Amino acid sequence: MIGDTSVKIKVVDLHKSFGKNYVLRGINLTVNKGESMVVIGGSGVGKSVLIKCVIGLIKPDSGSIGIDGQEITSLKEGSLNEIRKKFGMLFQAGALFDSLSVWENVGFGLKHHTSLGDGEIKAIAVEKLGLLGLRSVEDLMPSELSGGMRKRVSLARAIAMEPEILLYDEPTTGLDPIMADAINDLIVQMRKKLEVTSIAITHDMVSAYKIADRIAMLYEGKIIEVGTPKQIRESSNAIVQQFIQGKAEGPIKAR
Amino acid sequence: MNAVFGYIGVYFLRFLHESGRISILFGQTIFLIFRPPFNIREALSQMEEIGVRSIPVVVITSAFTGMVLALQTFTGFKRFNAETLVGTVVALSVTRELGPVLTGLMVSGRVGSAMAAELGTMRVTEQIDALYTLATNPVKYLVVPRFLASLVMVPVLVVFADVIGIMGGYFVSVKVLGTNPTVYIRRTWDYMELSDIYSGLLKACIFGMIMAIISCYQGFYTEGGAEGVGKATTRAVVLSCLVILISNYFITAILF
């Protein structure tokens, strides 16, 4: 399958533990080119660990991760950086650099990886911010922005280098429902406009149904079910049903 | 009894683990200094923060140290009629020892804490992860400019400390204790060698590196939210000061 051009990201039998905490226990997940994959699961089941492994922020204990058919788990920092140029990542709280203004944040990748001048970078930053409905914020500092604006600026930074793959770490967490829906719309638009492959992790089912081509459920360190939103909704698996309906009682124990 | 050995073992292993990781960070930093691109703007702004903004603290510290040194030495030396040698003692103590050590300690408190807190906050708010995802090496982007700026600016601050400390001693001896200014200055210059100043500046370079690498390390590997940042900041200052004081003895014993 490694040579299959329609597969963008292929995770095979991924394991990771932190001390005694065995988080990922054999993850298998394939994301096709141009597909929007949403990984759902409870808090603390290792959703973040999974996408951080995919972008090489965390080194897995064993297993393989292929990006465009290239194995990344054995790569050194230098070659990993080349792979990372294919990625954009939206962090949960934005992770904007506080010491830089909004446009410098958005243009960070351009400044470090292209020979563009400040004027051109600022123009691109303003354009990307406009794409996300943000106007005349480019000279503000991140501390002057609201939570929803920070997420959008972070998204602008993630798409500034026109990545092939976007990773979203809980894109709607901590936002009011209207802002959350606006972010969902943006994610859907991004996929249509930029034709990117994406993995989003979330426990917000409204968001998952809206942005996903396929949904994968992570439970006890394994992907227990993958399917279209419709298939997931109709799943016969009691664990999946409990999670998507948000019930306290069932096979998953609230911790 | 076993429990005691257990604790000793655990702490010893942790010590080795931390020393190893600090050494790795130090190695990476040195390696990355010579790799383009060179972020000169960031290094300059760090030099301003570490150097220029530390001048008031260093000046006040060294002025009063020079002054009290003159006062104390005078009291002691008067007992065997050697008051004229106060200038020599002040100059040698300040240039060889007190200038570099006190500057190192004050800068650790002022700058080391800030470095650890800033990098620690960047770690817990995922800004360091964000740097990785933007294909930027955080050690190159964050640690190298701070390390270089400390390496350059701590010795510069020590030059200030030396001059101000000697002037402080002169002021107290001449204006308060009534020593003859000409004799004081001659005694200062007669016994001082250039190597006294060099040795102090060499120490300053080493202290600057120690402070920067320990503080950046503590910040870079912070865990556990706001509380973790607080702990990292404390550890950065305490550990920097301890390592500076301990290494000071060995540098002196080995080199001079």
Side-chain angles (χ1 to χ4, degrees):
Chain A
M1 283 292 278
I2 278 279
D4 190 340
T5 49
S6 69
V7 174
K8 192 76 180 171
I9 304 166
K10 190 171 176 65
V11 178
V12 180
D13 198 27
L14 199 68
H15 290 261
K16 176 71 191 177
S17 53
F18 297 95
K20 285 174 186 151
N21 188 7
Y22 195 2
V23 186
L24 304 182
R25 309 177 181 199
I27 299 269
N28 291 295
L29 188 67
T30 306
V31 185
N32 297 319
K33 195 167 261 178
E35 185 179 36
S36 167
M37 172 64 79
V38 173
V39 178
I40 57 171
S43 306
V45 296
K47 301 191 297 290
S48 291
V49 176
L50 173 61
I51 61 167
K52 283 181 180 170
C53 284
V54 170
I55 196 171
L57 285 176
I58 296 178
K59 254 203 168 9
D61 299 335
S62 68
S64 95
I65 299 167
I67 306 293
D68 286 330
Q70 187 177 5
E71 176 60 45
I72 65 156
T73 51
S74 54
L75 289 182
K76 292 234 180 312
E77 201 53 42
S79 2
L80 207 49
N81 261 344
E82 287 308 307
I83 296 282
R84 286 193 186 120
K85 289 181 187 167
K86 294 183 179 183
F87 283 89
M89 180 158 173
L90 172 65
F91 286 87
Q92 207 177 117
L96 298 176
F97 305 125
D98 337 282
S99 56
L100 303 179
S101 68
V102 166
W103 78 264
E104 286 171 315
N105 262 287
V106 176
F108 191 90
L110 295 166
K111 184 165 180 76
H112 287 260
H113 301 301
T114 66
S115 52
L116 297 175
D118 277 0
E120 293 162 286
I121 292 176
K122 191 166 180 179
I124 295 174
V126 169
E127 180 211 321
K128 301 288 178 197
L129 289 164
L131 213 56
L132 298 171
L134 290 169
R135 283 176 222 298
S136 54
V137 295
E138 59 273 12
D139 291 316
L140 297 178
M141 296 305 281
S143 55
E144 298 171 276
L145 303 176
S146 71
M149 285 162 96
R150 290 175 76 92
K151 278 218 163 141
R152 282 187 281 170
V153 172
S154 185
L155 192 50
R157 183 177 69 184
I159 61 170
M161 294 283 284
E162 300 182 350
E164 298 165 29
I165 303 167
L166 274 170
L167 302 177
Y168 303 101
D169 187 352
E170 313 232 348
T172 56
T173 301
L175 300 178
D176 67 67
I178 297 167
M179 182 54 74
D181 199 50
I183 295 276
N184 289 335
D185 280 340
L186 288 173
I187 292 174
V188 173
Q189 277 176 32
M190 286 300 118
R191 189 171 92 241
K192 286 182 185 149
K193 275 188 203 162
L194 310 173
E195 296 171 344
V196 292
T197 309
S198 66
I199 301 181
I201 58 176
T202 187
H203 45 239
D204 172 0
M205 287 314 299
V206 179
S207 167
Y209 289 139
K210 185 154 184 178
I211 63 180
D213 291 326
R214 283 196 300 156
I215 296 176
M217 165 105 189
L218 182 61
Y219 180 68
E220 291 193 330
K222 287 190 172 134
I223 301 286
I224 55 166
E225 188 141 345
V226 186
T228 61
K230 186 164 177 288
Q231 285 167 336
I232 290 289
R233 232 188 283 249
E234 291 162 0
S235 167
S236 57
N237 189 324
I239 297 169
V240 176
Q241 279 302 332
Q242 187 199 346
F243 187 84
I244 63 175
Q245 292 174 29
K247 290 182 177 162
E249 280 161 35
I252 310 175
K253 296 284 167 261
R255 279 180 296 178
Chain B
M1 201 59 193
N2 267 338
V4 175
F5 283 121
Y7 275 122
I8 295 173
V10 166
Y11 277 104
F12 185 65
L13 286 179
R14 193 182 296 166
F15 169 75
L16 288 183
H17 177 74
E18 296 251 317
S19 319
R21 291 216 299 180
I22 293 179
S23 309
I24 290 170
L25 183 64
F26 180 68
Q28 283 177 337
T29 307
I30 298 289
F31 174 72
L32 288 169
I33 286 174
F34 302 102
R35 299 258 304 196
F38 304 108
N39 195 346
I40 294 166
R41 211 181 83 183
E42 179 65 14
L44 286 177
S45 96
Q46 287 298 329
M47 280 164 86
E48 185 187 354
E49 181 56 39
I50 294 165
V52 181
R53 303 237 167 94
S54 296
I55 289 177
V57 174
V58 168
V59 163
I60 292 170
T61 310
S62 56
F64 279 91
T65 306
M67 284 158 68
V68 79
L69 202 59
L71 215 53
Q72 291 282 31
T73 317
F74 184 84
T75 315
F77 279 22
K78 200 175 158 196
R79 294 178 191 164
F80 41 90
N81 298 321
E83 300 97 311
T84 52
L85 285 169
V86 168
T88 317
V89 172
V90 169
L92 288 187
S93 311
V94 167
T95 53
R96 291 181 68 96
E97 200 56 52
L98 293 169
V101 171
L102 290 175
T103 304
L105 297 181
M106 295 310 285
V107 172
S108 295
R110 211 194 78 85
V111 179
S113 56
M115 282 184 193
E118 191 180 358
L119 266 57
T121 306
M122 291 187 74
R123 167 63 75 185
V124 300
T125 57
E126 298 186 307
Q127 291 177 51
I128 289 183
D129 283 345
L131 282 170
Y132 279 115
T133 65
L134 292 162
T136 306
N137 185 330
V139 176
K140 173 88 188 164
Y141 183 74
L142 297 171
V143 180
V144 167
R146 285 169 174 75
F147 180 83
L148 276 181
S150 305
L151 180 60
V152 175
M153 292 317 274
V154 174
V156 172
L157 288 169
V158 168
V159 172
F160 273 87
D162 287 353
V163 173
I164 302 286
I166 291 172
M167 279 165 58
Y170 173 86
F171 172 79
V172 168
S173 299
V174 173
K175 302 287 176 191
V176 181
L177 304 170
T179 311
N180 181 320
T182 320
V183 174
Y184 188 93
I185 290 172
R186 191 185 307 144
R187 291 292 186 189
T188 300
W189 286 120
D190 277 358
Y191 293 97
M192 200 160 73
E193 290 167 18
L194 216 47
S195 72
D196 296 324
I197 295 177
Y198 286 156
S199 71
L201 294 184
L202 178 65
K203 278 182 181 178
C205 289
I206 296 173
F207 295 164
M209 291 193 279
I210 289 172
M211 184 275 298
I213 214 72
I214 288 180
S215 305
C216 287
Y217 168 81
Q218 293 295 346
F220 203 81
Y221 293 103
T222 299
E223 282 173 2
E227 193 191 352
V229 176
K231 281 183 183 160
T233 309
T234 308
R235 271 203 300 267
V237 176
V238 172
L239 205 60
S240 298
C241 290
L242 285 178
V243 176
I244 284 175
L245 290 171
I246 295 168
S247 63
N248 178 46
Y249 173 81
F250 289 102
I251 299 167
T252 312
I254 294 167
L255 291 181
F256 316 112

